Amino acid sequence: MEILNQSIDFLNKNSAAITAIATVVITFLTWFLAADSRKLRKAGSDPEVVGYLVPHPDGNGGVNFVVANVGQGPAFSVSFKFDCDEDDFTQHQVMLRNQPGRTSLSVLPQGEKIGSLFGVGYALFGNFGKERGAPLKPFQVKISYKDINGRKKSSSQQIDITQFMGLAGILSKPAAHEISDSLKKIEKHIAKMTGKQTSSAQLLDSSELRDEFRKSTKADNRENPNGD
């Protein structure tokens, strides 16, 4: 009881100081939480726009240039410019160029992207018939945009077509596989109807972006009669 009484007496005598200290601590914690909340809100609404090259999804040997918003908020007034050797772009038949009259994209929502045909793979690699030149020189793409509050932002990426060097099969068409599967099913049905055993070989795409002509590799997928 004596210790409790002493503690109560101490608190009574120093209540003003204790209250002041508590007020300072609460004020600091409030400021810290508010600052942290602002950072979280900013992180949850900041766009981040990047540019890159990607093989054409149809597998036709084309190369697309893509502007994508990989951030957490919408981007406004999105524009891009290539910092490149214009003569080198001309020699490699680049189709997407810096256009003085091109206006900015009004908005690029979070997670969205827009692509445009940049060029043809074999031309970008410098493969013109019997002539074999150097690939397109690396270049920079500079992107500028605004966030939802109108603050200006920018990004810059180095792009090099040789990133696709040696990647065989990236021109494969998903739709072609579906057609191939359908044809194999038809072939099996015909074999059952005619009582004949047939064999089939599937052609796999083994083309590279630098190839002037499409390459195919035959994969023998005949069924093993032993079920192996």
Side-chain angles (χ1 to χ4, degrees):
M1 290 296 294
E2 184 178 353
I3 296 176
L4 180 60
N5 291 331
Q6 288 177 354
S7 299
I8 294 174
D9 185 57
F10 175 81
L11 292 174
N12 289 332
K13 291 180 179 179
N14 299 279
S15 60
I18 294 173
T19 302
I21 293 172
T23 301
V24 172
V25 172
I26 292 173
T27 301
F28 174 77
L29 290 175
T30 301
W31 176 86
F32 179 80
L33 291 173
D36 196 47
S37 297
R38 285 195 296 271
K39 290 180 181 179
L40 289 174
R41 286 197 300 270
K42 183 178 179 181
S45 62
D46 270 1
E48 185 174 355
V49 183
V50 298
Y52 57 91
L53 296 182
V54 65
H56 197 286
D58 287 343
N60 52 20
V63 178
N64 282 356
F65 173 73
V66 177
V67 177
N69 183 1
V70 298
Q72 299 299 316
F76 300 89
S77 300
V78 181
S79 62
F80 64 88
K81 182 179 181 181
F82 298 129
D83 184 3
C84 62
D85 184 337
E86 293 289 349
D87 291 336
D88 192 54
F89 264 41
T90 299
Q91 292 174 8
H92 290 84
Q93 302 178 8
V94 174
M95 300 177 185
L96 182 61
R97 312 294 287 271
N98 292 323
Q99 298 289 339
R102 183 169 56 223
T103 59
S104 303
L105 298 173
S106 57
V107 61
L108 189 62
Q110 171 191 352
E112 294 295 329
K113 60 185 178 182
I114 184 170
S116 176
L117 185 60
F118 181 78
V120 181
Y122 77 87
L124 297 177
F125 272 96
N127 297 339
F128 299 93
K130 296 182 179 179
E131 299 179 7
R132 290 294 182 267
L136 181 72
K137 295 178 182 177
F139 60 95
Q140 291 272 344
V141 56
K142 298 181 178 179
I143 303 174
S144 62
Y145 54 99
K146 296 179 181 179
D147 64 12
I148 196 170
N149 296 314
R151 290 188 293 261
K152 293 183 179 180
K153 295 180 175 293
S154 63
S155 67
S156 178
Q157 285 83 44
Q158 174 89 356
I159 296 181
D160 191 341
I161 190 63
T162 59
Q163 64 184 297
F164 301 115
M165 186 81 74
L167 301 181
I170 60 176
L171 304 184
S172 180
K173 297 181 180 180
H177 289 295
E178 295 180 4
I179 295 173
S180 177
D181 291 340
S182 298
L183 290 176
K184 284 188 289 185
K185 290 179 181 179
I186 294 173
E187 183 182 20
K188 288 181 180 180
H189 285 302
I190 294 176
K192 290 180 180 179
M193 293 172 61
T194 59
K196 295 181 180 180
Q197 192 69 25
T198 61
S199 63
S200 61
Q202 184 177 10
L203 295 179
L204 301 178
D205 182 87
S206 58
S207 307
E208 297 183 22
L209 279 175
R210 59 179 177 174
D211 292 332
E212 186 172 1
F213 300 98
R214 182 180 293 280
K215 295 179 180 178
S216 297
T217 301
K218 186 168 80 170
D220 193 352
N221 63 351
R222 289 176 293 178
E223 296 182 359
N224 191 323
N226 298 324
D228 296 334

